[in-house]
Amino acid sequence: MDPATRLLHAALEHAEGAPSSPPIDLSSVHVSAGPGAAAPYGYGRLANPTWEALETALCALEGGSALAFASGQAATHAALMTLCADGRRLVLPGDGYYGTRKLCALLHPFGLRTQAVDLADLDAVAAALADGPAALWIETPTNPFLRLFDIARLVEVARTAGALVAVDNTTATAFLQRPLALGADLSLTSLTKGSSGHSDVVLGALAARDAALLERLRAWRSAAGGIPGPFEAWIAHRGLLTLPLRVERQSETALALASRLAAHPRVREVHYPGFARDRELVERQMSGRGGSLLSFELDGDADGAERVVRAARLVRPATSFGGVESSWERRARWADESAPASLIRLSVGIEPLADVWADIEAALDS
Ligand SMILES: *Cc1c(COP(=O)(O)O)cnc(C)c1O
């Protein structure tokens, strides 16, 4: 069956009387008098049926098995501690999500070593991975430049060097892009963004196929305690069910906005997967769709870009992305962000194209 069909039915039972929406189990303790692992649930930091319903639904898209975490960053933390045990370095892109670099910097005093490389340069990646035991961190499309990297080819390079590969799949989501099927060992998603899609929950997840790797990740979640709340897991699960519909709509609108923005005299450059470049890779790796996120650079300075952001009446000035409502921000307002001063990152919602474009055009002309 199609993964989008499996997604809808993954956590549902067909028995007489079974609920059509997975129940929320808030209990921090379940009865478990038996020895060892006799009951599947006991103490709430270790396992919870509502997390598992979400994890089962995620697996329908990702393949492998999934673990939900308190946030994307809690999942990244568990991934870094697992991938970089025993002094392995992390080879990562220099222009991906700044929160990943920030977390690595916090872990530096504890021995984590990183090396930034351009993932488009396969020779540079191979050289970095050949320089001692390492793991490879891929982010594609990157946030906020929407650069694309070829996961299957990078996995080949990493295999030659004996390195494990993790992919931050947040911007694409598992509906458009399936890193495990492309050979990666780990797929990370911030469910805060498009995967949950309604701007109402902070949550994250990791997926993997290898049982031993999953157990190490689970050990970090159980011991460090970066667990999801059952209610948050339920909200994320509910949102995830409509991910395919939302992403199809958002991708269509975003591509149309990308071409209109590119033709606007105030816009210097538009970044959107599959627009102008990378079309072949979008077809092969992202199910032919570019997703909900685009960014563009204006002619002019930071103040001009700020004025445009504030002039919109419909598109909301806000960070994050992937919600049903359109929003944007001048990305360089964040101190740790490496984006150019006039770059605006636009998260395309599910509103009809004409309304969003009318608002953006008016803001650009203001
Ligand atoms: C938001 C984001 C994260 C972190 O997720 P949180 O849920 O905010 O902790 C990681 N990677 C990318 C690409 C993101 O956009």
Side-chain angles (χ1 to χ4, degrees):
M1 258 185 268
D2 193 289
T5 309
R6 285 208 309 273
L7 166 69
L8 296 170
H9 291 267
L12 292 182
E13 290 171 26
H14 283 231
E16 196 68 23
S20 291
S21 166
I24 308 175
D25 189 329
L26 293 170
S27 192
S28 60
V29 189
H30 287 79
V31 173
S32 59
Y41 310 108
Y43 188 59
R45 178 155 40 75
L46 309 179
N48 170 281
T50 313
W51 310 345
E52 287 172 8
L54 166 65
E55 290 164 353
T56 304
L58 279 169
C59 291
L61 295 178
E62 294 269 9
S65 300
L67 292 170
F69 283 81
S71 65
Q73 287 303 87
T76 299
H77 180 247
L80 292 177
M81 299 313 266
T82 302
L83 293 173
C84 298
D86 308 319
R88 283 193 297 269
R89 286 170 309 122
L90 188 75
V91 172
L92 81 176
D95 60 347
Y97 178 58
Y98 76 83
T100 310
R101 295 196 296 276
K102 218 171 161 176
L103 180 53
C104 288
L106 277 173
L107 292 171
H108 193 86
F110 301 91
L112 182 76
R113 295 287 172 273
T114 57
Q115 183 174 346
V117 288
D118 180 358
L119 297 188
D121 184 347
L122 296 181
D123 293 336
V125 174
L129 292 176
D131 194 20
L136 177 63
W137 189 271
I138 301 174
E139 182 179 316
T140 178
T142 57
N143 171 10
F145 286 102
L146 289 315
R147 288 182 75 203
L148 259 65
F149 303 113
D150 191 327
I151 296 175
R153 292 192 65 190
L154 283 164
V155 164
E156 253 174 59
V157 171
R159 286 285 168 270
T160 308
L164 290 176
V165 179
V167 177
D168 185 334
N169 203 31
T170 301
T171 49
T173 78
F175 172 59
L176 293 185
Q177 180 169 279
R178 301 178 64 217
L180 301 185
L182 295 167
D185 300 286
L186 266 186
S187 173
L188 176 136
T189 308
S190 165
L191 299 172
T192 313
K193 316 290 170 54
S195 294
S196 68
H198 294 71
S199 309
D200 53 10
V201 67
V202 174
L203 219 67
L206 286 170
R209 285 187 198 283
D210 183 74
L213 183 57
L214 277 158
E215 277 328 295
R216 292 208 295 280
L217 296 165
R218 188 190 298 277
W220 270 106
R221 182 178 72 171
S222 296
I227 56 165
F231 185 67
E232 285 73 12
W234 187 87
I235 288 276
H237 186 176
R238 181 184 162 119
L240 185 69
L241 297 177
T242 55
L243 173 66
L245 283 177
R246 288 184 280 106
V247 171
E248 281 171 6
R249 168 67 165 251
Q250 286 163 323
S251 299
E252 264 169 45
T253 308
L255 184 60
L257 290 174
S259 11
R260 293 183 189 192
L261 281 165
H264 195 281
R266 280 196 72 183
V267 174
R268 193 185 323 144
E269 197 170 353
V270 176
H271 309 283
Y272 184 67
F275 180 71
R277 56 181 159 86
D278 300 326
R279 191 68 234 169
E280 184 272 330
L281 194 50
V282 168
E283 292 298 334
R284 177 157 53 85
Q285 182 170 286
M286 290 184 70
S287 322
R289 293 190 165 85
S292 68
L293 198 60
L294 71 84
S295 61
F296 57 98
E297 294 167 47
L298 290 181
D299 268 332
D301 58 4
D303 287 346
E306 284 293 349
R307 274 196 300 277
V308 167
V309 165
R310 281 195 302 269
R313 311 295 294 268
L314 176 74
V315 180
R316 306 175 72 239
T319 193
S320 196
F321 59 88
V324 289
E325 76 292 356
S326 293
S327 65
W328 61 5
E329 69 174 336
R330 190 181 69 85
R331 196 58 190 163
R333 70 187 174 120
W334 301 101
D336 295 301
E337 175 61 82
S338 53
S342 76
L343 181 136
I344 295 174
R345 193 186 69 181
L346 168 64
S347 170
V348 178
I350 60 171
E351 305 94 341
L353 168 66
D355 289 339
V356 185
W357 175 243
D359 192 51
I360 290 175
E361 202 176 24
L364 286 172
D365 293 343
S366 68

